[in-house]
Amino acid sequence: MPESELFDAVDALLASRAPLPPPEERKRLRKAHGLTIDEIAAALKVRRATVSGWESGKTEPRPPERDAYARLLEGLAKLYPAAANTAAPNEDTAVPETFTGAPDPAEAGTLSSGRPPAAAAMTATPENTQTPAPVAAAPAAAQRPARTTRPSSMSRRPGAKKAAPAGTPAGSADPRFENGPLAVVDVEADGQVLAYCTGGLVLDVPAKSIPALVDWTLREAKLGQPKLAGPGKDADPLIVLTEAALERYGLPVALTDEERLAGRLPEGHKVIKQLARAEWKLTKRGFGPWARIYRPATGSERACVQLCIPSWHALDTRHWGEAGQLPPAELARILGVYASRVMTPRGSTAVTGLELMTALHPPTRASEPDADGKRHSEHNPGSLGKDPVDPAPCEAPDGHPVLKDLPRFHVRGPGEKLFEEAYDWARPMTDAECTLRHLVGIDVNMAFAAGANGLVVGLGAPTHVKAPVFDPKLPGSWLVDLSHVDLSKVKVGKDKWVELDGSLLPSPFTPKGERPEGPAWYATPTVAYAVELGYEVQPIEAYVRYESGRYLDGWYNRLRDAYLATMADLGVDPDLAPADFLAAMDGYKDRDPELAIVVSAIKATVKGGLGKLHERPRGEGWRPGEPWRALSRPTWRPDIRAAVISRTRINLHRKIVKHAAFTGQYPVAILSDCVVYASNGPSPLDFLPYREGKPLPGGFKLGINPGLVKHEGTQSVLWGDEVRERFNAPELNLARYIKDGTVTDVDNGE
């Protein structure tokens, strides 16, 4: 045998035992470099599930992939050693000379009217969802530390630890941010200014003014958060000002009606003048509830601090409850848990949800060194890029510049406008259902997050094609006639056809559940479902996006892990048996009301972040046909929002069909992610077809994982009849009121 072949054989033996780090370290290294599982799988020419198995420890790589995988991990380990990394950020993390505008701090854009859009389980069932990555446990509720006299030696130190309550997650392992991502600044009765940080740390604050507070935060406080992805940038420190701190620094405790309408203080306010004299700048949003104060970046060094002012309604009570009224230590705990598990808040939960997408997929990265050894900024694969793209005309909302040539007051129908929204459907009960005793509502957990998981979305601009052949793997919008799909006979599974009572089912193709009457625009998941049900489709035209990817996977994983970890802290674990799960969910918010606020904020981050993809004009003198502020963002992508809603609505319908085929039971009402069934018993277990603790495959399953369902509420059938009769609305959507039975603001369509 030639010597070269012998050497090759020896190399193969060595490769078969190439040393690999532990599974959790493999995952850390991949995330540190901003790589996705799909990117590694493509490079090694293996399946995505294979790489996922290597990172979870379920399987180990074999030759020849093992040697290549080991080489990759070895290279990453040199770039990102396990010890705290204090190296300077990548060259591409530099911010522009000036901010072009801050994220809109207000909630803008919801997924739909009423409840947010429906979502159902992922195509890969939630039962097979990977175990979430370890998340730092949330400590017990904090107690405000007793005030102590400030030692004179503390006067100019960055801070001093006082009585350390178990109030919030510990600070970052990164020494630059050892005091955590944020601090709540308050003033004691004796005038002492304190900063309540995460982990029970309380710092003495020597600053006498807002400019001095910003300077202290950047120079001494050691606040901030490491970047979430390799080519990203570190999170700026967040300072929360209590009412006492506002008074101390010359700011109003509450905004006037005029200031609240403008969303900021007037330009002539003395604090804004102080900042200008100190050469600090404000973003275009000005000094409002979520003010960003910065100096233009020099190289990779950022100088930016964000302020959060709860008494100016920075923390929306719909999502943050009474967090803004809590003592500083408790507020630091809530925001700290949220920051450690999601990210440091950048504004409203909607703004933060959108910013999380960008933080996980930064638009640019540093290139390889050129001939002179210099690196340059280049497009980061898998991101949306740094430049916005126009939507297809059918995807654009009314008033968008691409529609400026339409006649004034023209109303677009389904054949001109993509209308992918959540369910709002109900029907009269049958005689048989009226003989039952209860109406039971079940609700999909983290519905839209589950719908985003694994979804392939377009990354670039759309391409218009005529008479295309439908491709379920190609994201886009399709003009197609689905009126021929008959729900009385559908395919369930690969080759099994079943007959159903189609009159008791909503159409999967319209939010109101009405059968389509002709050609209409649909997102890819909707058209793919028609094919799945066993019917042919012949698109007339389409706007497709050939550059695509699973852009929302990392976003979903981050929010899923945050949700599951926080619910586990509240006593609701993913592996509970159905009856135990229902018992654990009963009163879970009362076990730790502060962590319950975090759960609410995480859910709002999902819904609001997706809503921001379709943000509408917010006044500012906008006129139809003119661009509005949100259009300047690469993350203004109504097509992505439509795809998520389409997929989640379709997945919900798939479960409803399988449930009907197996049990003969049909929903009475559906509102977004809530489905109501008539039942003889008051519990979901009285109508969900569990057999020996196992649910119907592909049907509804009780559990806390995203895509699984929980008990939303139970009312009597007599209650439903009485409500519909009282308001003369035979098809009143009872899912809207099933939770507590309180009926308000009824719209019977008149």
Side-chain angles (χ1 to χ4, degrees):
M1 180 181 293
E3 184 179 86
S4 60
E5 292 185 16
L6 291 174
F7 285 174
D8 289 342
V10 171
D11 289 342
L13 289 175
L14 292 174
S16 68
R17 297 294 185 270
L20 296 172
E24 59 272 11
E25 177 67 3
R26 303 170 195 174
K27 187 173 184 179
R28 184 192 73 81
L29 290 171
R30 172 178 61 78
K31 288 188 172 183
H33 201 60
L35 297 174
T36 66
I37 291 179
D38 293 293
E39 288 175 322
I40 293 181
L44 300 180
K45 294 180 173 55
V46 297
R47 295 185 303 114
R48 184 181 189 279
T50 301
V51 179
S52 180
W54 297 345
E55 290 191 355
S56 66
K58 294 179 181 178
T59 59
E60 286 294 308
R62 298 179 179 178
E65 291 84 6
R66 184 183 180 98
D67 188 36
Y69 189 47
R71 182 183 180 88
L72 170 66
L73 296 175
E74 182 181 1
L76 293 177
K78 294 178 180 178
L79 293 173
Y80 310 101
N85 184 7
T86 59
N90 290 347
E91 292 182 25
D92 66 332
T93 61
V95 299
E97 281 297 308
T98 59
F99 285 96
T100 58
D104 192 340
E107 292 285 353
T110 55
L111 291 168
S112 67
S113 60
R115 292 172 61 91
M122 303 158 279
T123 300
T125 59
E127 296 92 307
N128 298 327
T129 302
Q130 290 182 359
T131 303
V135 181
Q143 298 294 324
R144 183 184 175 102
R147 183 178 62 83
T148 60
T149 303
R150 179 180 60 186
S152 59
S153 60
M154 280 188 190
S155 59
R156 303 301 297 177
R157 293 198 312 171
K161 183 173 288 190
K162 292 197 160 203
T168 55
S172 170
D174 191 323
R176 298 173 299 158
F177 313 127
E178 65 180 26
N179 293 334
L182 55 89
V184 180
V185 175
D186 190 32
V187 181
E188 297 284 83
D190 63 354
Q192 184 179 5
V193 183
L194 301 176
Y196 292 79
C197 306
T198 58
L201 182 69
V202 183
L203 305 179
D204 176 63
V205 181
K208 306 294 185 183
S209 66
I210 289 293
L213 177 64
V214 173
D215 189 70
W216 171 82
T217 301
L218 293 171
R219 293 178 181 273
E220 302 180 54
K222 294 186 178 181
L223 296 174
Q225 191 175 36
K227 57 189 176 183
L228 296 179
K233 58 178 179 284
D234 299 325
D236 300 317
L238 174 65
I239 296 294
V240 184
L241 297 177
T242 65
E243 294 184 7
L246 292 173
E247 292 178 342
R248 177 62 172 265
Y249 291 122
L251 292 166
V253 171
L255 297 178
T256 65
D257 291 342
E258 183 178 352
E259 291 167 347
R260 187 166 60 252
L261 185 63
R264 66 180 79 187
L265 291 178
E267 293 298 324
H269 194 279
K270 64 178 182 180
V271 170
I272 296 179
K273 292 180 179 179
Q274 291 173 1
L275 290 169
R277 285 195 296 269
E279 299 183 345
W280 289 106
K281 297 180 180 293
L282 292 165
T283 57
K284 290 183 179 180
R285 293 301 302 172
F287 203 119
W290 291 94
R292 295 186 68 78
I293 304 171
Y294 73 98
R295 286 188 179 127
T298 56
S300 62
E301 295 298 322
R302 290 174 57 83
C304 183
V305 172
Q306 179 150 325
L307 301 183
C308 169
I309 306 177
S311 67
W312 294 5
H313 305 291
L315 301 175
D316 192 327
T317 55
R318 293 173 299 173
H319 311 134
W320 292 102
E322 300 302 318
Q325 306 298 320
L326 293 175
E330 282 83 343
L331 180 55
R333 180 200 182 212
I334 289 173
L335 294 177
V337 172
Y338 180 89
S340 67
R341 293 178 175 177
V342 180
M343 69 180 297
T344 304
R346 294 289 303 273
S348 66
T349 50
V351 168
T352 304
L354 195 70
E355 289 290 318
L356 180 61
M357 296 180 195
T358 303
L360 293 168
H361 284 287
T364 59
R365 67 179 183 183
S367 68
E368 292 297 323
D370 59 17
D372 298 326
K374 294 183 179 180
R375 296 178 183 268
H376 306 277
S377 178
E378 66 177 14
H379 173 70
N380 183 29
S383 76
L384 298 181
K386 62 180 181 178
D387 298 317
V389 297
D390 282 335
C394 63
E395 298 164 350
D398 294 336
H400 192 280
V402 302
L403 305 174
K404 63 182 179 181
D405 294 331
L406 287 178
R408 192 177 184 187
F409 304 123
H410 176 73
V411 178
R412 294 184 294 161
E416 299 175 279
K417 181 179 180 180
L418 179 69
F419 193 64
E420 295 283 9
E421 296 294 345
Y423 267 131
D424 186 352
W425 170 87
R427 62 169 176 82
M429 285 185 282
T430 65
D431 291 342
E433 288 167 341
C434 288
T435 65
L436 303 177
R437 300 180 59 188
H438 301 282
L439 293 172
V440 184
I442 53 177
D443 182 79
V444 181
N445 294 313
M446 293 277 283
F448 293 105
N453 181 35
L455 178 65
V456 177
V457 300
L459 301 178
T463 299
H464 187 215
V465 291
K466 289 283 190 178
V469 175
F470 177 68
D471 182 353
K473 297 181 180 180
L474 189 60
S477 300
W478 309 78
L479 181 62
V480 59
D481 188 350
L482 299 180
S483 60
H484 63 291
V485 177
D486 184 4
L487 295 180
S488 64
K489 185 178 181 180
V490 297
K491 186 189 292 185
V492 178
K494 188 175 182 181
D495 296 309
K496 181 181 179 182
W497 287 81
V498 298
E499 293 186 359
L500 303 171
D501 189 341
S503 66
L504 300 181
L505 286 170
S507 167
F509 309 127
T510 61
K512 291 293 185 180
E514 302 165 343
R515 187 167 179 169
E517 297 179 351
W521 286 98
Y522 303 100
T524 297
T526 302
V527 185
Y529 186 54
V531 177
E532 179 184 326
L533 292 176
Y535 293 85
E536 293 185 359
V537 297
Q538 295 180 342
I540 301 168
E541 59 178 304
Y543 288 91
V544 297
R545 289 171 168 82
Y546 294 108
E547 182 187 359
S548 61
R550 294 167 62 155
Y551 174 72
L552 295 173
D553 272 11
W555 184 81
Y556 161 78
N557 290 332
R558 181 83 176 174
L559 290 165
R560 175 205 62 191
D561 292 352
Y563 175 69
L564 292 181
T566 311
M567 289 302 295
D569 289 336
L570 289 166
V572 186
D573 296 311
D575 56 354
L576 291 174
D580 295 335
F581 166 71
L582 292 175
M585 287 295 293
D586 187 17
Y588 77 92
K589 294 181 180 180
D590 298 330
R591 295 176 198 140
D592 191 330
E594 293 176 10
L595 285 184
I597 291 175
V598 177
V599 171
S600 173
I602 293 170
K603 291 179 179 179
T605 303
V606 173
K607 298 170 185 175
L610 293 172
K612 275 284 187 180
L613 294 170
H614 188 255
E615 184 177 352
R616 301 289 285 122
R618 299 180 53 79
E620 301 176 336
W622 174 80
R623 294 181 180 180
E626 297 178 350
W628 58 91
R629 183 198 302 252
L631 301 189
S632 64
R633 298 193 317 248
T635 49
W636 191 84
R637 292 294 302 271
D639 59 296
I640 295 179
R641 171 187 177 273
V644 173
I645 295 175
S646 165
R647 185 167 186 247
T648 53
R649 191 186 68 244
I650 291 306
N651 284 341
L652 180 62
H653 194 275
R654 183 183 293 112
K655 290 178 180 293
I656 290 170
V657 166
K658 290 191 176 181
H659 184 87
F662 188 80
T663 67
Q665 298 169 335
Y666 296 84
V668 172
I670 309 173
L671 185 67
S672 187
D673 46 7
C674 177
V675 187
V676 176
Y677 283 91
S679 170
N680 261 327
S683 167
L685 288 174
D686 292 316
F687 71 92
L688 293 182
Y690 273 83
R691 296 292 184 271
E692 298 179 354
K694 296 182 179 180
L696 170 68
F700 295 109
K701 178 182 178 182
L702 290 166
I704 198 58
N705 275 298
L708 306 191
V709 299
K710 63 179 182 293
H711 184 204
E712 178 71 0
T714 297
Q715 304 297 329
S716 69
V717 168
L718 292 177
W719 165 85
D721 283 337
E722 188 275 331
V723 167
R724 285 178 165 177
E725 182 177 349
R726 186 197 331 161
F727 294 100
N728 191 27
E731 296 184 5
L732 179 70
N733 195 330
L734 299 175
R736 192 183 305 275
Y737 315 106
I738 194 71
K739 189 166 189 176
D740 60 11
T742 303
V743 182
T744 58
D745 300 327
V746 169
D747 179 6
N748 60 8
E750 297 180 358

